[in-house]
């Protein structure tokens, strides 16, 4: 059984009620269902969310220590957390896939959202497709084997 960590940063615990015009009306339980239904039988999807930067960083350390691929939505940390960027770099430098995802398209939003400090160290970035951004990232990781 393989595991894929799906890590979500600040405010994403409010999906379903926070700015549904931007993020849709589905919540993290709906995301888990979508990804679990999309994953092959031998893949476990571990969806987590935190508003705590340190906790998110420790989950990335866990990914390195267990060689577990990551789908990461850093949320607001995307734009300024160099600590998170450095932890993400540990994942990819260990040869473990880390796909940065965003529900909305940050480049179609406020200017401050146009810059990601994480993208340069991620395996790839998928944005703007709602929850399908996560599904596409999971599909990519599964294909890598």
């Amino acid at each position: 059984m393989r595991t894929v960590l799906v890590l979500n940063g600040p405010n994403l615990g409010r999906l379903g009620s926070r700015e549904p015009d931007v993020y849709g009306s589905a919540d993290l339980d709906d995301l888990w269902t979508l990804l679990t239904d999309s994953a092959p039988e031998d893949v476990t999807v571990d969806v987590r969310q935190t508003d705590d930067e340190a906790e998110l960083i420790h989950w990335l350390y866990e990914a390195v220590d267990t060689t577990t691929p990551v789908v990461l939505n850093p949320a607001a940390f995307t734009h300024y957390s160099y600590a998170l960027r450095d932890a993400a770099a540990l994942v990819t430098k260990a040869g473990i896939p880390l796909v940065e995802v965003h529900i909305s398209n940050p480049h179609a939003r406020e200017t401050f959202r146009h810059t990601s400090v994480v993208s340069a160290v991620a395996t790839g970035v998928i944005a703007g497709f709602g929850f399908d951004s996560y599904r596409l990232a999971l599909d990519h990781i599964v294909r890598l084997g």
Side-chain angles (χ1 to χ4, degrees), residues 60-61 63-65 67-70 82-99 117-124:
L60 292 172
Y61 295 165
V64 172
D65 294 344
T67 63
T68 303
V70 176
Y82 294 103
L84 185 66
R85 177 245 180 251
D86 290 348
L90 292 173
V91 176
T92 55
K93 286 182 181 182
I96 303 163
L98 181 145
V99 180
V117 299
V118 176
S119 293
V121 299
T123 306

mmCIF file of all heavy atoms in Angstrom, residues 60-61 63-65 67-70 82-99 117-124:
data_model
loop_
_atom_site.group_PDB
_atom_site.id
_atom_site.type_symbol
_atom_site.label_atom_id
_atom_site.label_comp_id
_atom_site.label_asym_id
_atom_site.label_seq_id
_atom_site.Cartn_x
_atom_site.Cartn_y
_atom_site.Cartn_z
ATOM 1 N N LEU A 60 6.089 17.913 6.126
ATOM 2 C CA LEU A 60 7.037 17.755 5.019
ATOM 3 C C LEU A 60 8.269 16.972 5.461
ATOM 4 O O LEU A 60 8.777 16.138 4.705
ATOM 5 C CB LEU A 60 7.417 19.114 4.430
ATOM 6 C CG LEU A 60 6.278 19.834 3.707
ATOM 7 C CD1 LEU A 60 6.685 21.252 3.329
ATOM 8 C CD2 LEU A 60 5.813 19.053 2.488
ATOM 9 N N TYR A 61 8.726 17.197 6.674
ATOM 10 C CA TYR A 61 9.812 16.370 7.216
ATOM 11 C C TYR A 61 9.390 14.904 7.258
ATOM 12 O O TYR A 61 10.175 14.005 6.940
ATOM 13 C CB TYR A 61 10.190 16.793 8.631
ATOM 14 C CG TYR A 61 10.775 18.158 8.820
ATOM 15 C CD1 TYR A 61 10.845 18.702 10.090
ATOM 16 C CD2 TYR A 61 11.269 18.921 7.763
ATOM 17 C CE1 TYR A 61 11.388 19.958 10.323
ATOM 18 C CE2 TYR A 61 11.808 20.178 7.970
ATOM 19 C CZ TYR A 61 11.868 20.690 9.253
ATOM 20 O OH TYR A 61 12.402 21.924 9.470
ATOM 21 N N ALA A 63 7.303 13.451 5.318
ATOM 22 C CA ALA A 63 7.335 12.948 3.945
ATOM 23 C C ALA A 63 8.747 12.521 3.558
ATOM 24 O O ALA A 63 8.933 11.470 2.928
ATOM 25 C CB ALA A 63 6.808 14.005 2.979
ATOM 26 N N VAL A 64 9.741 13.309 3.938
ATOM 27 C CA VAL A 64 11.130 12.964 3.650
ATOM 28 C C VAL A 64 11.507 11.683 4.389
ATOM 29 O O VAL A 64 12.073 10.752 3.798
ATOM 30 C CB VAL A 64 12.088 14.112 4.047
ATOM 31 C CG1 VAL A 64 13.546 13.667 3.924
ATOM 32 C CG2 VAL A 64 11.823 15.345 3.194
ATOM 33 N N ASP A 65 11.190 11.617 5.668
ATOM 34 C CA ASP A 65 11.584 10.477 6.496
ATOM 35 C C ASP A 65 10.923 9.176 6.068
ATOM 36 O O ASP A 65 11.473 8.098 6.288
ATOM 37 C CB ASP A 65 11.272 10.755 7.967
ATOM 38 C CG ASP A 65 12.114 11.887 8.536
ATOM 39 O OD1 ASP A 65 13.138 12.258 7.922
ATOM 40 O OD2 ASP A 65 11.729 12.427 9.604
ATOM 41 N N THR A 67 9.667 8.750 2.802
ATOM 42 C CA THR A 67 9.661 8.795 1.330
ATOM 43 C C THR A 67 8.239 8.753 0.762
ATOM 44 O O THR A 67 7.921 7.973 -0.131
ATOM 45 C CB THR A 67 10.538 7.689 0.697
ATOM 46 O OG1 THR A 67 10.014 6.412 1.046
ATOM 47 C CG2 THR A 67 11.984 7.806 1.122
ATOM 48 N N THR A 68 7.416 9.645 1.264
ATOM 49 C CA THR A 68 6.017 9.727 0.858
ATOM 50 C C THR A 68 5.814 10.925 -0.065
ATOM 51 O O THR A 68 6.148 12.051 0.305
ATOM 52 C CB THR A 68 5.110 9.876 2.099
ATOM 53 O OG1 THR A 68 5.343 8.772 2.973
ATOM 54 C CG2 THR A 68 3.644 9.905 1.710
ATOM 55 N N PRO A 69 5.252 10.717 -1.257
ATOM 56 C CA PRO A 69 4.981 11.833 -2.160
ATOM 57 C C PRO A 69 3.939 12.781 -1.563
ATOM 58 O O PRO A 69 3.100 12.380 -0.759
ATOM 59 C CB PRO A 69 4.472 11.178 -3.434
ATOM 60 C CG PRO A 69 4.297 9.752 -3.155
ATOM 61 C CD PRO A 69 4.868 9.434 -1.823
ATOM 62 N N VAL A 70 3.989 14.040 -2.048
ATOM 63 C CA VAL A 70 3.167 15.095 -1.464
ATOM 64 C C VAL A 70 2.436 15.885 -2.544
ATOM 65 O O VAL A 70 3.032 16.272 -3.553
ATOM 66 C CB VAL A 70 4.050 16.076 -0.653
ATOM 67 C CG1 VAL A 70 3.235 17.247 -0.114
ATOM 68 C CG2 VAL A 70 4.768 15.349 0.479
ATOM 69 N N TYR A 82 9.435 31.283 3.485
ATOM 70 C CA TYR A 82 10.701 30.687 3.068
ATOM 71 C C TYR A 82 11.012 29.445 3.890
ATOM 72 O O TYR A 82 11.686 28.531 3.394
ATOM 73 C CB TYR A 82 11.831 31.717 3.140
ATOM 74 C CG TYR A 82 11.609 32.825 2.134
ATOM 75 C CD1 TYR A 82 11.134 34.068 2.530
ATOM 76 C CD2 TYR A 82 11.820 32.597 0.781
ATOM 77 C CE1 TYR A 82 10.901 35.060 1.601
ATOM 78 C CE2 TYR A 82 11.585 33.581 -0.154
ATOM 79 C CZ TYR A 82 11.125 34.819 0.258
ATOM 80 O OH TYR A 82 10.878 35.795 -0.665
ATOM 81 N N ALA A 83 10.514 29.379 5.099
ATOM 82 C CA ALA A 83 10.693 28.172 5.913
ATOM 83 C C ALA A 83 9.962 26.995 5.263
ATOM 84 O O ALA A 83 10.504 25.884 5.174
ATOM 85 C CB ALA A 83 10.181 28.408 7.335
ATOM 86 N N LEU A 84 8.748 27.228 4.790
ATOM 87 C CA LEU A 84 8.005 26.171 4.101
ATOM 88 C C LEU A 84 8.695 25.811 2.786
ATOM 89 O O LEU A 84 8.809 24.631 2.441
ATOM 90 C CB LEU A 84 6.570 26.611 3.846
ATOM 91 C CG LEU A 84 5.670 25.548 3.232
ATOM 92 C CD1 LEU A 84 5.460 24.394 4.197
ATOM 93 C CD2 LEU A 84 4.334 26.147 2.822
ATOM 94 N N ARG A 85 9.181 26.799 2.077
ATOM 95 C CA ARG A 85 9.905 26.556 0.829
ATOM 96 C C ARG A 85 11.113 25.659 1.080
ATOM 97 O O ARG A 85 11.367 24.722 0.336
ATOM 98 C CB ARG A 85 10.344 27.892 0.230
ATOM 99 C CG ARG A 85 11.159 27.765 -1.036
ATOM 100 C CD ARG A 85 12.576 28.285 -0.780
ATOM 101 N NE ARG A 85 13.376 28.177 -1.966
ATOM 102 C CZ ARG A 85 14.367 27.295 -2.108
ATOM 103 N NH1 ARG A 85 14.702 26.476 -1.154
ATOM 104 N NH2 ARG A 85 15.053 27.236 -3.222
ATOM 105 N N ASP A 86 11.863 25.940 2.140
ATOM 106 C CA ASP A 86 13.041 25.131 2.440
ATOM 107 C C ASP A 86 12.666 23.700 2.810
ATOM 108 O O ASP A 86 13.359 22.753 2.422
ATOM 109 C CB ASP A 86 13.863 25.784 3.550
ATOM 110 C CG ASP A 86 14.552 27.063 3.104
ATOM 111 O OD1 ASP A 86 14.587 27.347 1.884
ATOM 112 O OD2 ASP A 86 15.044 27.797 3.987
ATOM 113 N N ALA A 87 11.568 23.519 3.524
ATOM 114 C CA ALA A 87 11.101 22.170 3.867
ATOM 115 C C ALA A 87 10.623 21.441 2.612
ATOM 116 O O ALA A 87 10.887 20.245 2.447
ATOM 117 C CB ALA A 87 9.994 22.240 4.915
ATOM 118 N N ALA A 88 9.951 22.144 1.711
ATOM 119 C CA ALA A 88 9.524 21.535 0.445
ATOM 120 C C ALA A 88 10.737 21.118 -0.379
ATOM 121 O O ALA A 88 10.733 20.060 -1.019
ATOM 122 C CB ALA A 88 8.634 22.500 -0.332
ATOM 123 N N ALA A 89 11.785 21.935 -0.345
ATOM 124 C CA ALA A 89 13.008 21.597 -1.077
ATOM 125 C C ALA A 89 13.636 20.314 -0.543
ATOM 126 O O ALA A 89 14.222 19.542 -1.310
ATOM 127 C CB ALA A 89 14.009 22.751 -0.998
ATOM 128 N N LEU A 90 13.524 20.066 0.756
ATOM 129 C CA LEU A 90 14.036 18.811 1.314
ATOM 130 C C LEU A 90 13.348 17.610 0.677
ATOM 131 O O LEU A 90 13.977 16.577 0.434
ATOM 132 C CB LEU A 90 13.840 18.770 2.834
ATOM 133 C CG LEU A 90 14.662 19.728 3.670
ATOM 134 C CD1 LEU A 90 14.211 19.682 5.127
ATOM 135 C CD2 LEU A 90 16.141 19.404 3.550
ATOM 136 N N VAL A 91 12.053 17.759 0.419
ATOM 137 C CA VAL A 91 11.276 16.668 -0.190
ATOM 138 C C VAL A 91 11.789 16.388 -1.595
ATOM 139 O O VAL A 91 12.160 15.257 -1.925
ATOM 140 C CB VAL A 91 9.767 17.006 -0.206
ATOM 141 C CG1 VAL A 91 8.976 15.919 -0.932
ATOM 142 C CG2 VAL A 91 9.231 17.200 1.218
ATOM 143 N N THR A 92 11.823 17.413 -2.434
ATOM 144 C CA THR A 92 12.207 17.179 -3.826
ATOM 145 C C THR A 92 13.686 16.835 -3.964
ATOM 146 O O THR A 92 14.055 16.040 -4.834
ATOM 147 C CB THR A 92 11.833 18.385 -4.709
ATOM 148 O OG1 THR A 92 12.417 19.576 -4.172
ATOM 149 C CG2 THR A 92 10.324 18.539 -4.786
ATOM 150 N N LYS A 93 14.544 17.400 -3.111
ATOM 151 C CA LYS A 93 15.966 17.043 -3.172
ATOM 152 C C LYS A 93 16.207 15.598 -2.752
ATOM 153 O O LYS A 93 17.213 14.999 -3.131
ATOM 154 C CB LYS A 93 16.798 18.000 -2.319
ATOM 155 C CG LYS A 93 16.944 19.350 -2.970
ATOM 156 C CD LYS A 93 17.797 20.295 -2.162
ATOM 157 C CE LYS A 93 17.884 21.633 -2.876
ATOM 158 N NZ LYS A 93 18.733 22.582 -2.176
ATOM 159 N N ALA A 94 15.250 15.023 -2.010
ATOM 160 C CA ALA A 94 15.339 13.610 -1.637
ATOM 161 C C ALA A 94 14.793 12.718 -2.760
ATOM 162 O O ALA A 94 14.734 11.499 -2.616
ATOM 163 C CB ALA A 94 14.577 13.358 -0.335
ATOM 164 N N GLY A 95 14.381 13.336 -3.871
ATOM 165 C CA GLY A 95 13.863 12.565 -4.996
ATOM 166 C C GLY A 95 12.402 12.175 -4.856
ATOM 167 O O GLY A 95 11.917 11.300 -5.572
ATOM 168 N N ILE A 96 11.705 12.833 -3.949
ATOM 169 C CA ILE A 96 10.299 12.537 -3.689
ATOM 170 C C ILE A 96 9.451 13.589 -4.396
ATOM 171 O O ILE A 96 9.696 14.790 -4.242
ATOM 172 C CB ILE A 96 10.021 12.567 -2.164
ATOM 173 C CG1 ILE A 96 10.932 11.576 -1.443
ATOM 174 C CG2 ILE A 96 8.553 12.281 -1.872
ATOM 175 C CD1 ILE A 96 11.038 11.818 0.060
ATOM 176 N N PRO A 97 8.433 13.163 -5.147
ATOM 177 C CA PRO A 97 7.593 14.148 -5.839
ATOM 178 C C PRO A 97 6.824 15.027 -4.851
ATOM 179 O O PRO A 97 6.300 14.548 -3.848
ATOM 180 C CB PRO A 97 6.614 13.301 -6.651
ATOM 181 C CG PRO A 97 7.167 11.932 -6.676
ATOM 182 C CD PRO A 97 8.052 11.787 -5.475
ATOM 183 N N LEU A 98 6.763 16.313 -5.164
ATOM 184 C CA LEU A 98 5.948 17.281 -4.434
ATOM 185 C C LEU A 98 5.308 18.180 -5.471
ATOM 186 O O LEU A 98 6.015 18.901 -6.197
ATOM 187 C CB LEU A 98 6.793 18.114 -3.471
ATOM 188 C CG LEU A 98 6.010 19.142 -2.645
ATOM 189 C CD1 LEU A 98 6.615 19.287 -1.260
ATOM 190 C CD2 LEU A 98 5.929 20.491 -3.338
ATOM 191 N N VAL A 99 3.991 18.088 -5.597
ATOM 192 C CA VAL A 99 3.262 18.893 -6.564
ATOM 193 C C VAL A 99 2.516 19.983 -5.811
ATOM 194 O O VAL A 99 1.712 19.693 -4.928
ATOM 195 C CB VAL A 99 2.292 18.036 -7.402
ATOM 196 C CG1 VAL A 99 1.540 18.914 -8.403
ATOM 197 C CG2 VAL A 99 3.040 16.912 -8.129
ATOM 198 N N VAL A 117 6.867 31.295 -3.531
ATOM 199 C CA VAL A 117 8.239 30.957 -3.139
ATOM 200 C C VAL A 117 8.442 29.448 -3.160
ATOM 201 O O VAL A 117 9.573 28.973 -3.067
ATOM 202 C CB VAL A 117 8.612 31.548 -1.757
ATOM 203 C CG1 VAL A 117 8.517 33.075 -1.799
ATOM 204 C CG2 VAL A 117 7.764 30.980 -0.634
ATOM 205 N N VAL A 118 7.362 28.678 -3.288
ATOM 206 C CA VAL A 118 7.426 27.214 -3.273
ATOM 207 C C VAL A 118 7.627 26.641 -4.677
ATOM 208 O O VAL A 118 8.299 25.625 -4.854
ATOM 209 C CB VAL A 118 6.142 26.631 -2.630
ATOM 210 C CG1 VAL A 118 6.128 25.114 -2.692
ATOM 211 C CG2 VAL A 118 5.988 27.125 -1.192
ATOM 212 N N SER A 119 7.079 27.293 -5.685
ATOM 213 C CA SER A 119 7.075 26.738 -7.047
ATOM 214 C C SER A 119 8.449 26.322 -7.553
ATOM 215 O O SER A 119 8.582 25.297 -8.227
ATOM 216 C CB SER A 119 6.476 27.745 -8.033
ATOM 217 O OG SER A 119 5.113 27.942 -7.773
ATOM 218 N N ALA A 120 9.467 27.099 -7.240
ATOM 219 C CA ALA A 120 10.809 26.822 -7.760
ATOM 220 C C ALA A 120 11.390 25.512 -7.243
ATOM 221 O O ALA A 120 12.290 24.946 -7.869
ATOM 222 C CB ALA A 120 11.754 27.977 -7.427
ATOM 223 N N VAL A 121 10.892 25.009 -6.128
ATOM 224 C CA VAL A 121 11.416 23.755 -5.582
ATOM 225 C C VAL A 121 10.428 22.601 -5.730
ATOM 226 O O VAL A 121 10.746 21.460 -5.381
ATOM 227 C CB VAL A 121 11.853 23.906 -4.101
ATOM 228 C CG1 VAL A 121 12.967 24.937 -3.985
ATOM 229 C CG2 VAL A 121 10.674 24.246 -3.201
ATOM 230 N N ALA A 122 9.242 22.886 -6.249
ATOM 231 C CA ALA A 122 8.236 21.835 -6.455
ATOM 232 C C ALA A 122 8.557 21.039 -7.712
ATOM 233 O O ALA A 122 9.208 21.543 -8.636
ATOM 234 C CB ALA A 122 6.848 22.457 -6.576
ATOM 235 N N THR A 123 8.086 19.812 -7.747
ATOM 236 C CA THR A 123 8.201 18.994 -8.955
ATOM 237 C C THR A 123 7.402 19.625 -10.085
ATOM 238 O O THR A 123 7.815 19.614 -11.241
ATOM 239 C CB THR A 123 7.689 17.567 -8.665
ATOM 240 O OG1 THR A 123 8.390 17.046 -7.539
ATOM 241 C CG2 THR A 123 7.854 16.662 -9.861
ATOM 242 N N GLY A 124 6.248 20.173 -9.747
ATOM 243 C CA GLY A 124 5.379 20.836 -10.707
ATOM 244 C C GLY A 124 4.306 21.611 -9.977
ATOM 245 O O GLY A 124 4.166 21.492 -8.761
#
